[in-house]
Structure formats: C-alpha cells, structure tokens
Amino acid sequence: MTTAQIQMPAKLVPIFEGDADVRGAHGGRGSAKTRTFAKMTAVRALMWSQAGDEGIILCGRQFMNSLADSSLEEIKAGIESEEWLRPHFDIGEKYVRTADHRISYSFVGLDRNINSIKSKARIRLAWIDEAEPVTEEAWVKLIPTLREEDSELWITWNPERKASATNKRFRNSTDARTKIAEMNWRDNPWFPEILNRQRAKDQRERPDQYDHIWEGAFITVAEGAYYAAALTKARADGRVGHVAADPLMTIRAIWDIGGTGAKADATAIWIVQYIGREIRFLDYYEAVGQPLATHVAWLRGNGYEKALCVLPHDGASHEKIIDSTYEGALRAAGFDVKVIPNQGAGAAMARVETARRLFPSMWFDELKCAGGLEAIGWYHEKRDAERNIGLGPDHDWSSHGADAFGLAAVAYEAPRAKQTINYSSRGIV
C-alpha cells in the first residue's frame, strides 16, 4: 500500500477526517480554503477510480456563464500542486477526468441548470464554491441528487449576509455529519507576502470593508452603497450602539408596505423618535408575506401600541387590503396614522438624498436595529454594465428597509429656532 502526503492547512484536517454528509469552510480572502477543497476533490476522484468505482464530481456555482466562471482552473491547479497526483489525471483545455476515465468532472451554474442536474448519473460528490448567493430553492433541488451511499456535499464560501440560505443552512449546523470550519488568512501557512501587502493596504484604506474581505465577517456596508460612507462615519462617531427611548416623546412606526403571500414584497417598520435635532432609530421589524394583523401584533407585543404610524402614500390606497386601506385598518386598530404624500418621479432618490443630509443627526440601536442596519448598508444603485450607467436604486431584499428609512428622513421636521422679540420705549422693534 502506498501512502501519500497531502499538504493542507491544519485547521482543515479534521474537516476531511472520518465520515460526513457535508464538509465545508467559510471565511475571508487568502485562507487556502478553495485551493484545498479543489485538491481534495481530486484525491477523492483518485480513490474512487482505484476502487473501480465510476461517477461524476459536480462542481457548481450559483452563477456560471461559461467555463471561465467555473472551478475548472482551481481543479487543475489543485492537481498540479501535488506531484504524485498529476499522472493519475487526464487534463484537457475544457475537461478533467481520471486517467482511466472512471471519474469525470462536470461544471454547472445552479441559477440556469439546477433542474438538469437531476438527470446526471451517479454524482459522487458535489462541490459548490462561492456558495454565499446559492438560493434555498437551489439547495432544495441539489441535495436530493446526491443519492449514492457515500456521496457528499462540499461547500466553500465568503459570508456576506447572516440571513443568506447558505449561512442559515450550514454555518451553525448541529448535525454531527456536517463538518464546517472558519478559515481566514492567518490560518494559511503559505499566505504569500503579496497578499499580505494587499491585506495591510485594505486595512489602512478600506477599514469598512476589511473585516468582510479578510476576516470572513458579514458585510456591514457594501462597497458603493448609498449610505456606506455615512454609516461608517456613524459607527466611528459612536452613534451606533445602545439607544434609549425618551418616555415623554412620541414614538413613530415608519412603514414600507409589502403584501401577503410567499412572493410578496417585505413589510418593513422602523421605530423612531425625533428628539430635537436628533433622529433616534430604536427598533426594526421586517416580515414577508404576513397579514396586517401580524405587524400590528409585533407593535403591540413590543410596547409600541401608542406609536404614530407613518405610512407612504400607498397606505391610503385600496390596493393592499381588500375593501380597506392600511390607513383605515390601522386607525381601526387604535393607532394614530399619518400618510406622507406621493413625492412623484424620483421619489426614491429624493429619500436617499434627504437621508444622507440628515445622517449626521441619526443614532441607531445596534442590537434592535441589526436587520435595518444591514439593509441600509447594502442598499445600492442598479447599474447597466454594458453602458456603465446608473439605473436608480436596486429593488432587492434591502430596498424595503431602506425605503422605510428614507421615509423616516422625509417625515422629519427640524425644530424651529426660537424668535426673540425686542421691545423699546417707542414700541416693538
């Protein structure tokens, strides 16, 4: 029996030991996680080949328009990195397979080809790289295709959002047959000096992005987001932390209205107080597809039953609740309601500019507003890549919280300066 030595970071050794259904690693740039997993797929391919088994190693990413977007080059590099592995593989420009052709690699984009994966015979291993954006629908369809008794799912990803399907499914799994490690640059014993210089530069020049890029943290401010600079400044100024409510001042529940049903937009609510020239964001709520009664129950259950509900202009329409309006239904539920008039064309950017102007006066409760801070930190412009022009705010998961946030800025009225009246013996001057 020949024994081969495989070079890998020590932190990944237990991930590949023993039996498992899922093996994976998440973290920042330069950790060697992707190269190690690529190499280990080849080790597995060789083991199956030498045992006389046949099958496919499926390498997927959520988005893959061509082989250039795939893990093909990582697989090749992983094989080339171990001198003893290379003779056992047939490597072409567009393919990789074992020399005896028993095990071959297949490369797919899950967003376009997830249904076709079902027809692939004998998937021994599925490795999903850059797995952060993989949708729950894709996971639901992919996992049952791993039908062999010893087939496994491997995943590698750089976390972005705590609420992503990948993080929710795998990051904190308690299943004994799921083995996941966190890997960052300091866990890579071969971390190159050129990457270390890039890391140090990002730490100096891009502190708002550094933790996500290099330390595997979730994104708190997306590069290019409308409020990125303002939110970074708020954190540096200490305006993101614990914020207490003033019991003598009006509490406002500021809404962005969604709808009911699984495919409806989210309903978002910021709990806000205007204290002099300060705008205090105390709490945040978001729900998808729930009826109005659920939102009202959250307000009452969290002590906001006397809140002034501030609605966008569609709160006065009859489109959201059959035979009623959000305005009417909330009044019937005992809330005072204010509807902000339609701001017309360009309303979204008007909200953005107003919020940017007022941001230095804003304070946020970091714990209770975590979901809302994530949304405004992500909210960004949609761009036409071919023409390199902006198309206005991107209507994605973040836009509902961001729209309600912008409405809070629009609804704010600064206190008027006190007027001093001087009197003289000749009358008023």
Side-chain angles (χ1 to χ4, degrees):
M1 178 182 294
T2 303
T3 301
Q5 290 188 339
I6 305 168
Q7 288 190 326
M8 73 170 66
K11 207 169 180 181
L12 285 178
V13 171
I15 300 302
F16 291 104
E17 290 179 332
D19 295 332
D21 294 327
V22 179
R23 306 180 198 268
H26 60 84
R29 184 180 299 171
S31 66
K33 61 183 181 298
T34 299
R35 179 60 52 85
T36 302
F37 273 75
K39 177 167 57 180
M40 288 303 294
T41 65
V43 172
R44 283 300 183 90
L46 179 57
M47 291 171 62
W48 283 317
S49 168
Q50 292 183 338
D53 292 335
E54 298 180 351
I56 292 173
I57 293 180
L58 182 76
C59 296
R61 292 181 176 180
Q62 179 67 12
F63 306 108
M64 197 189 89
N65 296 320
S66 68
L67 279 177
D69 302 323
S70 75
S71 302
L72 175 61
E73 294 306 318
E74 283 289 350
I75 299 293
K76 292 180 180 180
I79 294 171
E80 297 287 355
S81 70
E82 299 285 352
E83 186 176 345
W84 60 272
L85 264 179
R86 181 64 183 86
H88 299 284
F89 285 86
D90 176 13
I91 299 176
E93 182 182 353
K94 297 183 178 181
Y95 68 87
V96 175
R97 57 196 177 198
T98 54
D100 58 11
H101 296 189
R102 289 182 179 275
I103 305 294
S104 61
Y105 282 80
S106 179
F107 302 90
V108 298
L110 302 183
D111 63 323
R112 296 183 178 181
N113 301 300
I114 188 64
N115 291 319
S116 67
I117 291 174
K118 298 177 183 179
S119 62
K120 292 187 180 294
R122 299 206 71 186
I123 300 176
R124 309 304 301 262
L125 169 65
W127 172 37
I128 310 303
D129 189 28
E130 298 184 1
E132 168 69 16
V134 176
T135 64
E136 180 63 15
E137 178 186 9
W139 288 125
V140 167
K141 291 183 178 180
L142 172 66
I143 291 173
T145 66
L146 305 174
R147 304 185 188 97
E148 301 297 319
E149 181 57 35
D150 61 346
S151 61
E152 296 182 6
L153 171 66
W154 293 4
I155 49 176
T156 45
W157 77 103
N158 290 42
E160 292 184 358
R161 297 182 57 225
K162 187 182 296 186
S164 74
T166 299
N167 282 297
K168 289 171 70 174
R169 262 186 176 267
F170 302 110
R171 181 164 178 152
N172 297 313
S173 174
T174 57
D175 186 346
R177 293 183 65 87
T178 295
K179 300 181 179 182
I180 304 290
E182 179 174 356
M183 294 289 296
N184 291 309
W185 63 274
R186 60 177 56 83
D187 300 311
N188 179 4
W190 308 283
F191 187 65
E193 182 55 33
I194 186 172
L195 280 187
N196 196 41
R197 292 196 298 270
Q198 294 173 12
R199 182 192 66 80
K201 184 177 181 181
D202 281 346
Q203 194 170 31
R204 291 192 309 270
E205 300 177 3
R206 304 169 68 195
D208 56 329
Q209 299 291 316
Y210 176 81
D211 282 351
H212 166 64
I213 295 172
W214 296 100
E215 303 291 353
F218 294 115
I219 290 178
T220 55
V221 229
E223 188 172 11
Y226 288 121
Y227 304 118
L231 191 50
T232 298
K233 182 76 164 56
R235 292 183 186 278
D237 290 347
R239 289 184 284 113
V240 180
H242 175 67
V243 179
D246 186 327
L248 300 180
M249 300 298 289
T250 300
I251 287 180
R252 289 168 170 80
I254 302 184
W255 294 58
D256 183 67
I257 298 171
T260 57
K263 295 185 178 181
D265 286 342
T267 291
I269 303 173
W270 285 93
I271 301 299
V272 181
Q273 282 188 314
Y274 302 145
I275 312 293
R277 295 191 177 277
E278 289 184 2
I279 304 175
R280 300 182 185 178
F281 291 85
L282 307 174
D283 209 341
Y284 179 77
Y285 164 86
E286 185 174 309
V288 178
Q290 298 301 312
L292 176 63
T294 301
H295 314 321
V296 169
W298 180 84
L299 290 171
R300 289 173 173 161
N302 287 274
Y304 307 130
E305 64 277 356
K306 295 182 179 179
L308 168 62
C309 288
V310 180
L311 305 179
H313 68 93
D314 54 352
S317 74
H318 290 262
E319 298 173 358
K320 302 296 182 180
I321 301 178
I322 298 174
D323 296 330
S324 185
T325 65
Y326 266 81
E327 179 185 12
L330 286 169
R331 290 190 188 281
F335 291 89
D336 290 333
V337 180
K338 178 180 180 180
V339 177
I340 302 298
N342 190 346
Q343 295 172 277
M349 281 310 300
R351 289 192 295 269
V352 168
E353 293 306 323
T354 303
R356 279 173 164 170
R357 176 172 56 82
L358 294 174
F359 223 105
S361 301
M362 295 177 177
W363 297 71
F364 302 87
D365 189 285
E366 187 170 24
L367 182 62
K368 291 184 177 181
C369 296
L373 288 167
E374 184 181 7
I376 64 174
W378 187 274
Y379 190 50
H380 61 278
E381 185 176 55
K382 186 175 183 178
R383 297 197 65 82
D384 183 324
E386 292 185 3
R387 295 181 292 168
N388 193 30
I389 60 173
L391 303 176
D394 192 7
H395 185 75
D396 62 7
W397 66 270
S398 69
S399 61
H400 313 295
D403 283 346
F405 172 73
L407 193 66
V410 170
Y412 171 74
E413 295 181 5
R416 296 179 180 178
K418 293 181 179 179
Q419 294 183 343
T420 302
I421 302 177
N422 295 322
Y423 294 89
S424 72
S425 59
R426 295 183 179 179
I428 301 174
V429 264

